[in-house]
Amino acid sequence: MSGGIRRVGVVGGGQMGAGIAEVCARAGLDTVVCEVDAVAARAARERVTASLDRAVRRGKLERAAARDALARTVFTGSLEDLADRQLVVEAVVENPDAKTEVFAALDKIVEDPAAVLATNTSSLPVGRLGMATQRADRVVGLHFFNPVPVLPLVEVVTSLHTSSGTLATAEEFAAHALGKTEIRCRDRAGFVVNALLIPYLLSAIRMTESGFTSASDVDAGMELGCAHPMGPLKLADLIGLDTVASIAESLYDEFKEPLYAPPPLLLRMVEAGLLGRKSGRGFHTYDRG
């Protein structure tokens, strides 16, 4: 079992954090989910419960296994409850200040000096987060993909400080404890998947922004002409337009490539709260119920 790891913590119980917690609990790990307060912790529990229920309804999970997974998951509003964890995955908002604050706090709270501190960031430098701690060699990127219980990939990202032992533990945790397929990459903005994906999504946004064609036709073109399961603008809506913009800004900051720069339309939509599926409207409209 993943280098003896049995006790896992997840900081953040939103869409990604709840998904990471669910796959950990379903894998038989003692899992603690930490949110900002008790109200947010209850919301995280509801998120995990709803996802487990969906898996049962779709025949992907036995009811007893869903009950067991929920029973081995604790939801809390206090970081102090992560003190005994052997591995902690940070999955808070994609904001460097927020993530740095979490890592600085975990460094003081997590008692085992050999514990692995991981970030689920999709674009921020892992090394920078590690430098917020006194154990940068134990910090690694574990970038999961949404929805976590369904998509099999994890990007394992090493900084210049990440030790070979930390890398081995992270890879074994992803591959053997969680049953994911892991790919290894170095610490650069966007890692592998987003460095390829984001310019494609931004190109689709620019095409719509220019009036060249409609959002529905862009998506239909890639779905029916290239056999993509989801068009680029539907995918951007699923990821969250705020997240797409954040990743684009990180890529542009690092590489200064014009194709990485977020288009004005994307930034205006984020400012207007049109974030995609999670807000009910993005390039398409969704039933939030």
Side-chain angles (χ1 to χ4, degrees):
M1 173 68 71
S2 187
I5 288 175
R6 299 289 306 180
R7 301 185 303 279
V8 178
V10 180
V11 183
Q15 192 171 38
M16 291 301 297
I20 295 166
E22 179 184 337
V23 297
C24 290
R26 285 171 64 168
L29 301 175
D30 171 351
T31 305
V32 176
V33 182
C34 181
E35 259 290 1
V36 293
D37 55 33
V39 173
R42 284 194 297 272
R45 180 185 178 88
E46 291 168 4
R47 236 173 249 116
V48 173
T49 301
S51 180
L52 290 169
D53 287 344
R54 280 195 300 273
V56 171
R57 288 197 306 272
R58 294 171 181 171
K60 305 294 185 183
L61 187 67
E62 295 294 329
R63 174 61 66 183
R67 284 197 299 266
D68 289 346
L70 197 58
R72 65 175 67 96
T73 309
V74 172
F75 298 84
T76 179
S78 172
L79 279 174
E80 301 292 337
D81 292 330
L82 302 177
D84 69 340
R85 301 292 94 182
Q86 297 164 297
L87 184 146
V88 179
V89 182
E90 168 275 314
V92 303
V93 63
E94 193 73 358
N95 175 283
D97 293 335
K99 289 182 181 292
T100 299
E101 184 178 339
V102 168
F103 273 88
L106 290 174
D107 188 40
K108 296 179 175 65
I109 290 168
V110 177
E111 295 169 351
D112 184 355
V116 173
L117 304 182
T119 175
N120 183 55
T121 182
S122 53
S123 61
L124 299 175
V126 174
R128 187 182 304 167
L129 299 177
M131 292 303 290
T133 75
Q134 298 300 310
R135 50 176 111 180
D137 62 315
R138 304 301 296 172
V139 176
V140 68
L142 284 175
H143 180 217
F144 294 80
F145 291 80
N146 182 42
V148 181
V150 176
L151 294 186
L153 184 67
V154 177
E155 291 179 316
V156 181
V157 186
T158 56
S159 78
L160 294 174
H161 289 288
T162 306
S163 71
S164 59
T166 299
L167 172 62
T169 298
E171 288 186 320
E172 193 161 329
F173 170 74
H176 297 290
L178 303 185
K180 298 289 189 182
T181 298
E182 49 84 17
I183 60 174
R184 187 188 300 185
C185 51
R186 294 181 181 177
D187 189 13
R188 49 161 279 172
F191 312 137
V192 173
V193 173
N194 281 322
L196 295 170
L197 175 64
I198 294 300
Y200 163 62
L201 300 184
L202 299 182
S203 181
I205 294 170
R206 290 189 187 98
M207 185 172 285
T208 304
E209 181 179 47
S210 71
F212 181 77
T213 190
S214 67
S216 59
D217 283 348
V218 168
D219 285 339
M222 297 308 294
E223 291 167 11
L224 304 179
C226 295
H228 287 201
M230 184 180 294
L233 299 178
K234 289 179 184 175
L235 180 55
D237 280 351
L238 176 63
I239 294 169
L241 300 187
D242 52 341
T243 301
V244 172
S246 176
I247 298 170
E249 287 168 346
S250 293
L251 285 164
Y252 184 72
D253 285 346
E254 181 153 331
F255 300 108
K256 300 299 186 291
E257 289 282 354
L259 287 177
Y260 289 142
L265 175 60
L266 175 61
L267 299 177
R268 295 298 176 270
M269 292 178 74
V270 172
E271 289 171 357
L274 306 178
L275 307 181
R277 281 186 177 271
K278 60 186 171 185
S279 69
R281 182 181 163 197
F283 288 98
H284 302 281
T285 302
Y286 305 90
D287 178 2
R288 296 185 68 187

